[in-house]
Amino acid sequence: MTPDPRPVLTGAFVYAAATNFFFFACLHSFVLLPLYIQRLGGNEAEIGMIMGMYNASAIFCQPLVGAWVDRVGRRPFMLFGVSLAALSSIAFTLSASTGLFILLRLLQGMAFSTFFVANYTLIVALAPPERRGWALGIFGISGLLAAALAPLAGEWV
């Protein structure tokens, strides 16, 4: 049986994809953070620690968040993830301390985990089972587009 060619781009789907784009644009704008750290006098080890903390935090948190999303629901985790990402990103403008940057990247990794898992499960729930692959492929574009455009915006800022 061939997949139904009609799109699943409902208002909720488009809203979730747009939210995903802006969320990941916020986080992907930090791709150039190593240059800023270097300008502040940070060395390669500090840059590696700061940048790696994001992934370390996300790896640790993501399985935990998945279980909690199943119990509590998506919305609180999406709101928490967006709020934590915004606050931790703004906090970078308030300090030039590499020690604080480690903590902020840890928080950004937590924000990624909470938002990503909750938002991804929303997309799965919105798409009919026979169209999930297509829907996730289209949805993935919002994150990739953010990854392509955010470093440009981050450099400009």
Side-chain angles (χ1 to χ4, degrees):
M1 177 177 206
T2 59
D4 184 355
R6 291 174 294 162
V8 293
L9 302 178
T10 64
F13 182 92
V14 171
Y15 181 72
T19 303
N20 193 61
F21 170 80
F22 288 111
F23 178 82
F24 280 100
C26 171
L27 294 180
H28 286 301
S29 64
F30 284 85
V31 166
L32 300 174
L33 183 59
L35 299 176
Y36 180 63
I37 297 167
Q38 190 175 39
R39 205 169 353 144
L40 293 174
N43 60 39
E44 291 174 358
E46 290 172 313
I47 291 170
M49 177 66 78
I50 291 167
M51 297 308 289
M53 193 55 66
Y54 172 86
N55 290 325
S57 174
I59 289 167
F60 177 77
C61 292
Q62 209 157 329
L64 299 172
V65 170
W68 293 334
V69 165
D70 288 338
R71 279 188 239 128
V72 177
R74 295 180 287 267
R75 185 174 174 82
F77 287 93
M78 290 176 71
L79 292 172
F80 178 75
V82 167
S83 299
L84 186 58
L87 291 173
S88 59
S89 297
I90 290 168
F92 273 93
T93 65
L94 304 175
S95 174
S97 163
T98 55
L100 180 61
F101 285 4
I102 291 171
L103 173 66
L104 294 175
R105 289 297 283 173
L106 179 122
L107 294 175
Q108 285 182 327
M110 291 171 59
F112 165 79
S113 294
T114 57
F115 177 82
F116 176 76
V117 171
N119 200 36
Y120 207 77
T121 60
L122 173 64
I123 293 301
V124 170
L126 289 173
E130 67 277 2
R131 305 292 314 283
R132 283 194 182 132
W134 182 86
L136 290 171
I138 295 299
F139 177 72
I141 292 171
S142 65
L144 293 172
L145 192 57
L149 298 176
L152 296 172
E155 179 63 20
W156 179 72
V157 171

